[in-house]
Amino acid sequence: MNGDTFVTLSLAAFGSILAGFATMGFSRIVLPYTTARLLATPFVLVGSVLVAVLFVRSVLAVTGIRPLE
Protein backbone atom coordinates (compact mmCIF):
# COMPACT_ATOMS: atom_id res chain seq x y z
CA MET A 1 0.00 0.00 0.00
CA ASN A 2 1.41 3.37 -0.86
CA GLY A 3 1.00 6.59 1.10
CA ASP A 4 -1.72 8.01 -1.15
CA THR A 5 -3.93 4.97 -0.65
CA PHE A 6 -3.42 5.16 3.10
CA VAL A 7 -4.48 8.81 3.18
CA THR A 8 -7.49 8.10 0.96
CA LEU A 9 -8.64 5.28 3.22
CA SER A 10 -8.13 7.51 6.26
CA LEU A 11 -10.33 10.19 4.76
CA ALA A 12 -12.93 7.57 3.83
CA ALA A 13 -12.96 6.30 7.42
CA PHE A 14 -13.35 9.83 8.79
CA GLY A 15 -16.12 10.60 6.29
CA SER A 16 -17.95 7.37 7.03
CA ILE A 17 -17.97 7.96 10.79
CA LEU A 18 -18.99 11.58 10.26
CA ALA A 19 -21.83 10.44 7.98
CA GLY A 20 -22.97 8.02 10.69
CA PHE A 21 -23.13 10.76 13.29
CA ALA A 22 -24.93 13.10 10.89
CA THR A 23 -27.41 10.39 9.94
CA MET A 24 -28.07 9.63 13.59
CA GLY A 25 -28.52 13.28 14.48
CA PHE A 26 -30.77 14.28 11.62
CA SER A 27 -32.87 11.14 11.64
CA ARG A 28 -33.58 11.49 15.37
CA ILE A 29 -35.50 14.65 14.51
CA VAL A 30 -38.21 12.70 12.68
CA LEU A 31 -37.67 9.05 13.66
CA PRO A 32 -37.51 7.13 16.94
CA TYR A 33 -34.12 6.56 18.56
CA THR A 34 -33.87 2.87 17.67
CA THR A 35 -34.64 3.49 14.01
CA ALA A 36 -32.09 6.30 13.87
CA ARG A 37 -29.48 3.99 15.38
CA LEU A 38 -30.26 1.31 12.80
CA LEU A 39 -29.81 3.81 9.98
CA ALA A 40 -26.48 5.09 11.31
CA THR A 41 -24.98 1.71 12.22
CA PRO A 42 -23.63 0.74 8.75
CA PHE A 43 -21.72 4.00 8.40
CA VAL A 44 -20.13 3.76 11.84
CA LEU A 45 -19.36 0.06 11.39
CA VAL A 46 -17.58 0.59 8.05
CA GLY A 47 -15.63 3.51 9.48
CA SER A 48 -14.62 1.53 12.54
CA VAL A 49 -13.41 -1.40 10.46
CA LEU A 50 -11.39 0.95 8.27
CA VAL A 51 -9.81 2.57 11.32
CA ALA A 52 -8.88 -0.86 12.72
CA VAL A 53 -7.34 -1.97 9.41
CA LEU A 54 -5.40 1.27 9.07
CA PHE A 55 -4.15 0.97 12.65
CA VAL A 56 -2.82 -2.54 12.02
CA ARG A 57 -1.28 -1.39 8.74
CA SER A 58 0.44 1.54 10.41
CA VAL A 59 1.81 -0.67 13.21
CA LEU A 60 3.22 -3.02 10.57
CA ALA A 61 4.81 -0.06 8.79
CA VAL A 62 6.36 1.37 11.96
CA THR A 63 7.82 -1.96 13.03
CA GLY A 64 9.29 -2.48 9.57
CA ILE A 65 7.47 -5.71 8.84
CA ARG A 66 5.57 -4.27 5.89
CA PRO A 67 6.67 -0.70 5.11
CA LEU A 68 4.60 1.78 3.15
CA GLU A 69 5.78 2.34 -0.38
Side-chain angles (χ1 to χ4, degrees):
M1 175 185 303
N2 61 17
D4 293 336
T5 305
F6 191 85
V7 171
T8 303
L9 288 176
S10 299
L11 290 175
F14 178 74
S16 177
I17 292 175
L18 187 65
F21 282 118
T23 302
M24 175 89 169
F26 287 126
S27 61
R28 282 193 63 190
I29 295 172
V30 294
L31 298 171
Y33 176 72
T34 55
T35 306
R37 251 181 36 189
L38 286 174
L39 287 175
T41 300
F43 294 112
V44 175
L45 185 64
V46 167
S48 300
V49 168
L50 275 173
V51 167
V53 167
L54 290 169
F55 175 75
V56 169
R57 185 66 181 100
S58 64
V59 168
L60 290 174
V62 167
T63 57
I65 296 172
R66 180 108 187 198
L68 289 175
E69 298 167 354

